[in-house]
């Protein structure tokens, strides 16, 4: 069985990692409030891939996506 991911998925993963490493100041501030279930006990992911999109913050249980514009 071949476990290699398609090139498109690998590219999205690379972009997600790069965005996590290079967060803007507003993204860092919000992430400090959301991480480790600090916001109402909800689990959030940052720079998460949803289909072919990479979203800033995603809460799977609420199906909530948040995009933050930085400066």
């Amino acid at each position: 069985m071949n476990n290699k991911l398609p090139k498109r998925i690998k590219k999205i993963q690379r972009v997600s990692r790069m965005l996590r490493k290079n967060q803007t100041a507003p993204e860092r501030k919000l992430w400090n409030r959301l991480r480790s279930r600090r916001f109402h006990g909800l689990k959030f992911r940052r720079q998460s891939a949803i289909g072919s999109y990479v979203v800033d913050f995603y809460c799977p249980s609420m199906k909530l996506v948040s995009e933050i514009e930085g400066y």
Side-chain angles (χ1 to χ4, degrees):
M1 185 164 77
N2 190 352
N3 290 330
K4 291 187 177 183
L5 295 173
K7 288 182 182 182
R8 181 177 59 90
I9 293 174
K10 285 183 180 182
K11 181 179 178 180
I12 291 170
Q13 287 177 337
R14 281 194 306 271
V15 169
S16 294
R17 283 188 204 112
M18 186 264 313
L19 291 171
R20 281 191 293 270
K21 290 179 182 181
N22 298 305
Q23 284 187 318
T24 63
E27 288 172 340
R28 274 192 305 274
K29 286 180 183 180
L30 183 58
W31 179 240
N32 282 329
R33 301 286 182 166
L34 297 177
R35 67 190 207 98
S36 301
R37 299 182 191 268
R38 292 178 184 176
F39 183 74
H40 296 284
L42 296 170
K43 174 74 175 169
F44 279 84
R45 298 177 188 162
R46 68 182 168 132
Q47 305 303 346
S48 183
I50 298 179
S52 60
Y53 297 97
V54 177
V55 299
D56 289 337
F57 302 98
Y58 175 57
C59 177
S61 64
M62 300 296 287
K63 296 181 182 174
L64 175 71
V65 171
S66 177
E67 283 290 322
I68 305 298
E69 293 303 319
Y71 51 88

